[in-house]
Amino acid sequence: MENLQKSRRIVATAALPYANGYVHIGHMIEYLQVDFWTRYMRLRGHECLYICADDTHGTPIMVNAMKQGITPEKLIENSYREHLADFTDFQIEFSHFSSTNSPTNQALCEEFYGRMKAKNHVSQKPVEQLYCNNDKMFLPDRFVKGGCPVCKSKDQYGDNCEVCGAAYSPEELIEPFCAVCAAKPVLKESNHIFFNLNNFKDYLQKWLPDHTSPEVTKKMMEWFGDDLRPWDISRDKPYFGFPIPGEDGKFFYVWVDAPMGYISSLKDWCTLNKKSFENYWNDPNTEIYHFIGKDIIYFHALFWPALLSAADYRTPTAVFPHGRLMVNGEKMSKSRGNFISARTYLKNLDSTYLRYYYATKINSGMDDYDLNFDDFVNRVNAELIGKITNLASRGFQMLGKSFDHKLTTLDSGGERVLKLITDKSEEIGTYFEAREFAKAMAEIRSLTEEANRYFDEKAPWKLIKENPTETQKILTSTVNIFRRLSILLKPVLPQYVAKVEALLGGKPLMWADLNTLITNSSIQTYQHLLGRIEPESVQKILDESKPPEGTIVPAKPVAAKSTTAAKTAAPTSGGPMEEIDMELFQKIDLRIAEIIEAKFVEGADKLLQLKVQVGDQTKQIFAGIRAAYDPEKLLGRKVLIVNNLKPRKMKFGMSEGMVLAAGDGGSDLFILSPDPGAIHGAKVK
């Protein structure tokens, strides 16, 4: 982990939420992971700012305001208030949350444009697009409707069909009409202003490998086979945005002033806190990270660094893209009833639950995440409530009831568990910094299981009758164990841990407190931390998100399968499989194996190459667990394998078995292991 002991200055940003709609639980994947990350950095003693703002410009804002009979300024004011309330109730701690419709942002846009123009990075050319003579405006894609040119469904938007999923341009619609007034649009020509992106082709090819992941760099390099096309940065009036200096009736396209909101919001924070802006954005010692969705990589990895370079501003240290949220295995959609607003969720459940669940799923890659509500309820209730919270409830309450809340010293068993937690803390910290939150949470779960095992083996509720002194030591150890676990959980569960801090006397816990103890003192009376999720609450969320009756549900794309593939396709996660009899089951040779060698497979994104000992046999197995486990952490671990699986020849070598694991895949995988005492080669019955 890079230089975590030295204090660092860090600025992290999340993509700006659009002011034309509400924040939904898909958005929260991004805002929460930045919150986890920045809270962890501050917990380590670093100066780490979390900067964001509402994205407030564009035709959709203007048209929506017209429909509501209010000004665009009033619409974005309402949106700002609602967005900030949602973020606050999801325990997201911004250093500053601003708006792109600010004097600071306008001045910045004009400064950038002046520098781009002075260096001949802008040009003009005519553009032909659909125009509504009735509303006197050019129509963006989403403000043209008509028949789908593919499936002929009526009343579809100008960019894609919600029935068959086809993508097209507005001009291809059957009998297009203006989505605002229903008039038939015409094609009209207008001069537009373009940013000459190709001027930065060589610069971007050098910039990308140093500031994005290999996966992103490879994807972006697909753009460089030909010249980079000029980027249209202007829109015609009427348009809600900033006017372009020196141009009549022209406004900056929303994607010009939106990313500048990162800088203008930071400038506003500096002004409010009497800090020098130059010491934050343009200081090479400041680290700047953009967290974004994978759907806007192009803007942040091509257009944005080019704009910054053109205006003599430094570029970000790195861009961190992530995947989208799926709900119960499907893409979020209002018509499917799985498009759930943050406020609908908050009306029915504590945000702590979703923070915990997302943390168990999020990693540094760009794979999509699935919010499976059955898994959500089961995992939160089993882990956060049944293991983590239950440990505190049992230990704190017994100490209060039997020993008047007084702590004494530790027992040897407790010292062992505490050392284990401290020894694991740097590894967990490494995962937090690397945005491998799922791996961090897996390690914390493992430590919690060890803590519960310790408590159950000591059985203080039995021991108290014959040895109250030793019992008090066990409970003192349990309180200290839970205190250390709380420190590890604090980036993810801030309000939950604040309650723990209150029980311990009110002092905020820091990462450095992993090396300290509380003994021979008193704690406060135990207060309820968190209860179980009731399935009825989840059902209310789903019911409140249902589409109106008569809504057309988009068709699901179905991949073609051969007859054989259809018969052997795996069921969806959690679904029942076809029953088998005992005779068939007994043909499966399940064995305990010990991993004696583990390494990455070059050229394979998902595989680890394992060598396992099974009795007197040594076998090679290629397992798709790379996203969930580091190979060096697997050495010596006992696992369950299918021992008589027919060997499979792969391009990397022969795989001679299968390691058993549970989970949805990717980083959400958990190897099955036997209890201590099992020996390799033993048959699983």
Side-chain angles (χ1 to χ4, degrees):
M1 185 163 49
E2 180 188 346
N3 197 21
L4 273 177
Q5 301 308 311
K6 182 181 177 182
S7 182
R8 296 152 63 184
R9 176 174 287 172
I10 304 166
V11 176
T13 71
L16 314 188
Y18 198 40
N20 197 43
Y22 54 75
V23 177
H24 58 69
I25 59 172
H27 292 133
M28 285 299 163
I29 282 284
E30 179 168 315
Y31 300 108
L32 287 176
Q33 70 169 301
V34 188
D35 195 61
F36 301 159
W37 194 79
T38 53
R39 284 181 184 274
Y40 167 74
M41 289 300 185
R42 289 193 290 269
L43 204 60
R44 295 302 299 252
H46 303 304
E47 181 185 13
C48 186
L49 305 181
Y50 184 176
I51 298 296
C52 198
D54 257 354
D55 178 8
T56 58
H57 291 152
T59 305
I61 298 285
M62 179 182 66
V63 173
N64 194 6
M66 289 168 54
K67 287 181 178 179
Q68 294 184 39
I70 59 176
T71 64
E73 288 81 4
K74 183 62 178 174
L75 185 148
I76 64 175
E77 176 189 330
N78 294 342
S79 180
Y80 180 90
R81 185 173 58 253
E82 291 166 3
H83 285 182
L84 199 53
D86 288 343
F87 290 135
T88 300
D89 289 347
F90 261 100
Q91 306 172 49
I92 292 171
E93 188 177 36
F94 295 116
S95 303
H96 188 63
F97 187 80
S98 188
S99 166
T100 58
N101 192 47
S102 70
T104 308
N105 205 41
Q106 181 169 2
L108 193 67
C109 289
E110 293 173 356
E111 177 189 341
F112 266 60
Y113 182 69
R115 294 185 181 186
M116 290 154 51
K117 193 173 181 182
K119 296 178 183 179
N120 296 317
H121 293 316
V122 295
S123 57
Q124 293 194 24
K125 67 176 182 179
V127 172
E128 195 175 57
Q129 60 189 116
L130 291 175
Y131 181 86
C132 178
N133 281 313
N134 184 59
D135 293 316
K136 302 294 188 290
M137 62 183 290
F138 287 95
L139 301 175
D141 295 349
R142 298 291 287 181
F143 289 87
V144 187
K145 283 189 170 183
C148 170
V150 178
C151 72
K152 316 304 180 189
S153 296
K154 296 181 179 180
D155 205 30
Q156 298 305 307
Y157 285 108
D159 52 357
N160 74 280
C161 176
E162 292 191 346
V163 176
C164 73
Y168 41 73
S169 64
E171 293 79 12
E172 296 178 88
L173 286 169
I174 300 169
E175 298 181 353
F177 60 91
C178 172
V180 179
C181 69
K184 183 178 180 179
V186 297
L187 284 172
K188 187 174 180 179
E189 194 174 85
S190 171
N191 272 344
H192 277 221
I193 301 169
F194 289 81
F195 175 61
N196 299 325
L197 188 60
N198 199 56
N199 293 359
F200 298 87
K201 183 177 181 180
D202 292 340
Y203 170 79
L204 290 170
Q205 284 179 295
K206 295 175 183 176
W207 184 88
L208 279 163
D210 294 332
H211 298 83
T212 63
S213 69
E215 183 182 7
V216 172
T217 298
K218 182 179 178 181
K219 186 67 179 174
M220 292 299 100
M221 287 302 176
E222 295 174 4
W223 284 55
F224 292 92
D226 299 311
D227 285 347
L228 298 175
R229 290 178 295 176
W231 180 35
D232 191 341
I233 62 170
S234 69
R235 292 295 184 267
D236 292 283
K237 68 175 184 180
Y239 190 82
F240 183 58
F242 296 137
I244 299 177
E247 301 291 340
D248 185 31
K250 304 290 181 183
F251 293 79
F252 286 115
Y253 174 42
V254 63
W255 262 108
V256 175
D257 70 73
M260 292 190 196
Y262 301 141
I263 301 178
S264 61
S265 296
L266 179 61
K267 274 193 168 187
D268 287 341
W269 178 88
C270 289
T271 299
L272 290 168
N273 291 276
K274 297 180 171 55
K275 303 282 188 177
S276 167
F277 170 74
E278 290 302 316
N279 289 340
Y280 283 83
W281 190 275
N282 283 326
D283 187 335
N285 293 317
T286 300
E287 303 167 46
I288 301 173
Y289 300 102
H290 293 323
F291 289 73
I292 61 165
K294 65 182 180 182
D295 56 326
I296 54 174
I297 291 175
Y298 301 108
F299 291 103
H300 286 81
L302 294 180
F303 304 140
W304 180 228
L307 284 178
L308 289 165
S309 178
D312 299 319
Y313 275 73
R314 64 162 290 189
T315 57
T317 308
V319 176
F320 296 145
H322 60 82
R324 298 170 302 178
L325 181 72
M326 311 288 281
V327 176
N328 289 333
E330 295 185 334
K331 182 180 177 181
M332 287 185 65
S333 164
K334 290 180 180 178
S335 55
R336 288 194 180 105
N338 63 6
F339 202 87
I340 300 166
S341 75
R343 189 48 52 183
T344 298
Y345 173 92
L346 289 165
K347 280 167 55 183
N348 294 283
L349 284 175
D350 192 309
S351 59
T352 296
Y353 299 127
L354 198 62
R355 287 181 68 100
Y356 179 84
Y357 186 73
Y358 277 177
T360 68
K361 308 282 280 187
I362 296 172
N363 56 42
S364 62
M366 293 195 294
D367 290 340
D368 292 337
Y369 306 104
D370 186 34
L371 170 53
N372 179 289
F373 275 109
D374 288 339
D375 182 51
F376 167 64
V377 173
N378 293 336
R379 176 170 288 191
V380 170
N381 285 345
E383 297 174 3
L384 180 56
I385 307 304
K387 293 179 181 177
I388 298 172
T389 305
N390 193 43
L391 178 66
S393 176
R394 294 194 292 171
F396 279 70
Q397 291 196 80
M398 189 173 179
L399 185 75
K401 181 179 179 181
S402 302
F403 299 100
D404 194 27
H405 310 98
K406 289 183 170 58
L407 300 166
T408 177
T409 56
L410 312 178
D411 75 315
S412 59
E415 288 176 340
R416 179 189 64 81
V417 178
L418 285 162
K419 184 178 185 302
L420 180 62
I421 295 171
T422 304
D423 289 347
K424 277 283 185 181
S425 63
E426 280 307 308
E427 179 183 350
I428 291 168
T430 301
Y431 288 143
F432 270 119
E433 175 158 8
R435 309 178 326 283
E436 296 288 355
F437 303 111
K439 290 183 179 179
M441 297 303 287
E443 293 293 342
I444 295 170
R445 284 197 301 272
S446 178
L447 292 171
T448 304
E449 288 168 0
E450 187 65 31
N452 277 287
R453 190 176 298 116
Y454 156 78
F455 191 86
D456 291 339
E457 288 174 354
K458 293 292 183 179
W461 60 92
K462 295 181 182 178
L463 184 64
I464 191 170
K465 296 176 182 177
E466 58 186 70
N467 195 339
T469 301
E470 186 66 16
T471 301
Q472 192 174 10
K473 288 183 178 181
I474 292 166
L475 296 175
T476 297
S477 295
T478 302
V479 167
N480 276 276
I481 288 167
F482 189 76
R483 175 178 176 269
R484 287 195 183 175
L485 291 172
S486 296
I487 295 169
L488 300 177
L489 287 166
K490 190 172 181 179
V492 174
L493 308 178
Q495 287 184 0
Y496 180 95
V497 175
K499 294 179 182 178
V500 178
E501 291 168 339
L503 293 176
L504 300 175
K507 179 185 174 184
L509 293 169
M510 295 293 288
W511 199 264
D513 291 318
L514 286 163
N515 298 310
T516 64
L517 297 168
I518 52 171
T519 56
N520 298 311
S521 58
S522 296
I523 61 171
Q524 302 300 309
T525 301
Y526 181 77
Q527 300 294 323
H528 179 69
L529 294 176
L530 198 65
R532 291 170 55 84
I533 297 177
E534 297 301 332
E536 293 79 8
S537 298
V538 172
Q539 191 57 50
K540 285 181 182 178
I541 292 172
L542 297 174
D543 289 344
E544 291 177 27
S545 303
K546 285 181 179 177
E549 288 188 18
T551 301
I552 298 175
V553 179
K556 278 190 200 174
V558 179
K561 291 182 180 179
S562 68
T563 305
T564 303
K567 289 179 180 178
T568 58
T572 56
S573 177
M577 297 183 72
E578 182 183 349
E579 291 182 350
I580 61 173
D581 57 27
M582 182 59 72
E583 182 180 356
L584 180 58
F585 174 74
Q586 288 176 340
K587 292 181 179 180
I588 304 171
D589 183 18
L590 298 177
R591 299 273 177 171
I592 306 298
E594 183 175 343
I595 298 174
I596 58 175
E597 187 179 304
K599 58 185 178 180
F600 293 116
V601 179
E602 187 175 346
D605 295 335
K606 297 180 180 180
L607 296 178
L608 291 182
Q609 182 179 352
L610 307 178
K611 186 178 288 184
V612 300
Q613 191 72 37
V614 193
D616 57 1
Q617 280 187 306
T618 301
K619 289 194 167 191
Q620 175 175 268
I621 297 176
F622 290 94
I625 57 174
R626 179 169 180 159
Y629 291 94
D630 290 330
E632 63 269 20
K633 305 298 182 186
L634 294 174
L635 295 179
R637 181 162 178 173
K638 290 188 175 68
V639 296
L640 278 64
I641 69 164
V642 179
N643 193 45
N644 63 336
L645 191 68
K646 185 176 180 179
R648 178 186 174 195
K649 188 174 182 180
M650 306 175 72
K651 69 176 182 177
F652 312 106
M654 190 70 72
S655 187
E656 302 172 298
M658 177 186 291
V659 174
L660 300 185
D664 292 333
S667 62
D668 188 20
L669 275 175
F670 305 93
I671 290 175
L672 304 184
S673 297
D675 282 344
I679 60 173
H680 64 76
K683 186 173 178 62
V684 179
K685 301 178 180 179

